[in-house]
Amino acid sequence: MVQANGIRMHYQRIAPTGPGPDETMVFIHGMGTDSLASFHLTLAAPAAAVGASVLTYDLRGHGRSERPDTGYTLDIFVEDLAALLAELSITRPVHLVGNSFGGTIAFAFAQRFPDQVATITAIEAEPPTEHWAGKMDDILARAVEFLADEANYIWIREHFSAHQERLSRMAAQRVLSTSVPQEVTTGRLMTEQDIAELRCPVLILLGSEGYQADGLEHLSALLPDAELVVFEGQGHSVLVEQHRKVRALLLDWVAKHAVAVR
């Protein structure tokens, strides 16, 4: 645990366990049922095995990090990451790997702190634009309605598992007991010009049936240095359901853009 940006933040670090370029990879998870565990089960250990220093952390309100009642604007999530890196004395550019909302944080962080970012890998994620905000507001409104109905937890348990029911109840605590639904999309958003001015290389991994299905090529066309990979027939759960392919693409991407060998 570390005190950063006014809250207690839970993080985990994995030292390199194999040879490779001396790179730091920071994994940023998504919102709701997610936590740093999603990366420990998929990408963290393989990244350390090829020589990377790995940092994962729980977003505010998630996992074992502190859950204040308010303070959930995108700007604050970006400031949390900046404060965490400072507290851990990580000063060299890092490779940000963001899943879903975590990828949105990565884009916003790269705009505000361009010198601290080597690359972004955005998994089913997009920058915080007006378009993103509209979709996110709709998703959160539907989530609030769904999670407020006790009957839905019975349906989740019967159709999925007791574990999924527990995850959903945890998400309900985050969403219903905090200002997350009202705050997340407030604050500064990025324009297309802002996106076009991002300096770091970006790897975009999307499901053809995921949240960006309405514009799969649009983001990569705006970015000055981007590579797009689309998983055909895949929905939003790219990280979990395609983790082996994601792992191979990510490790190749980081090796290709290693800070240490520039």
Side-chain angles (χ1 to χ4, degrees):
M1 303 294 287
V2 66
Q3 192 77 14
N5 201 27
I7 64 165
R8 295 187 309 278
M9 294 184 67
H10 173 233
Y11 71 95
Q12 294 190 15
R13 300 183 77 170
I14 304 177
T17 58
D22 181 18
E23 303 297 306
T24 298
M25 298 174 65
V26 180
F27 294 89
I28 315 171
H29 68 76
M31 184 177 289
T33 60
D34 213 352
S35 71
L36 61 75
S38 63
F39 286 114
H40 277 268
L41 297 172
T42 52
L43 303 179
V50 297
S53 297
V54 170
L55 170 63
T56 62
Y57 70 102
D58 286 327
L59 297 178
R60 60 171 53 220
H62 293 70
R64 294 174 60 195
S65 286
E66 190 172 346
R67 185 189 301 155
D69 294 337
T70 61
Y72 293 93
T73 67
L74 179 61
D75 289 338
I76 291 177
F77 281 103
V78 169
E79 291 158 7
D80 285 347
L81 176 54
L84 177 61
L85 295 176
E87 288 291 332
L88 299 179
S89 300
I90 297 174
T91 58
R92 288 178 49 199
V94 299
H95 301 271
L96 298 178
V97 183
N99 181 50
S100 193
F101 180 61
T104 303
I105 295 172
F107 281 114
F109 185 90
Q111 182 192 21
R112 288 185 59 183
F113 304 98
D115 293 337
Q116 292 185 245
V117 182
T119 68
I120 293 173
T121 298
I123 307 169
E124 265 296 295
E126 60 187 302
T129 61
E130 290 281 0
H131 181 65
W132 165 83
K135 287 196 292 185
M136 194 68 170
D137 283 337
D138 180 63
I139 290 168
L140 287 169
R142 286 187 283 115
V144 167
E145 182 179 2
F146 182 87
L147 294 171
D149 188 343
E150 179 65 26
N152 287 325
Y153 297 104
I154 299 172
W155 181 86
I156 291 170
R157 184 173 65 250
E158 291 176 344
H159 289 80
F160 294 95
S161 66
H163 174 65
Q164 191 61 43
E165 180 192 1
R166 286 193 297 273
L167 289 178
S168 298
R169 289 187 182 277
M170 290 168 60
Q173 292 175 356
R174 294 164 187 150
V175 171
L176 302 179
S177 66
T178 70
S179 61
V180 166
Q182 294 77 37
E183 287 194 79
V184 165
T185 60
T186 62
R188 75 188 78 188
L189 298 175
M190 295 176 69
T191 66
E192 291 195 350
Q193 182 61 37
D194 292 329
I195 295 169
E197 291 175 355
L198 286 177
R199 301 203 308 255
C200 62
V202 181
L203 174 63
I204 307 164
L205 306 178
L206 300 178
S208 65
E209 311 305 316
Y211 287 170
Q212 280 75 58
D214 55 347
L216 290 172
E217 307 286 342
H218 185 63
L219 177 57
S220 59
L222 290 174
L223 288 162
D225 186 358
E227 182 175 321
L228 170 66
V229 178
V230 177
F231 295 85
E232 292 299 330
Q234 177 66 52
H236 188 58
S237 300
V238 170
L239 175 62
V240 174
E241 296 176 13
Q242 301 289 343
H243 63 273
R244 290 182 177 84
K245 293 180 181 178
V246 169
R247 180 187 307 165
L249 290 164
L250 169 64
L251 297 182
D252 180 65
W253 179 256
V254 171
K256 187 187 305 181
H257 297 90
V259 176
V261 298
R262 289 182 187 175

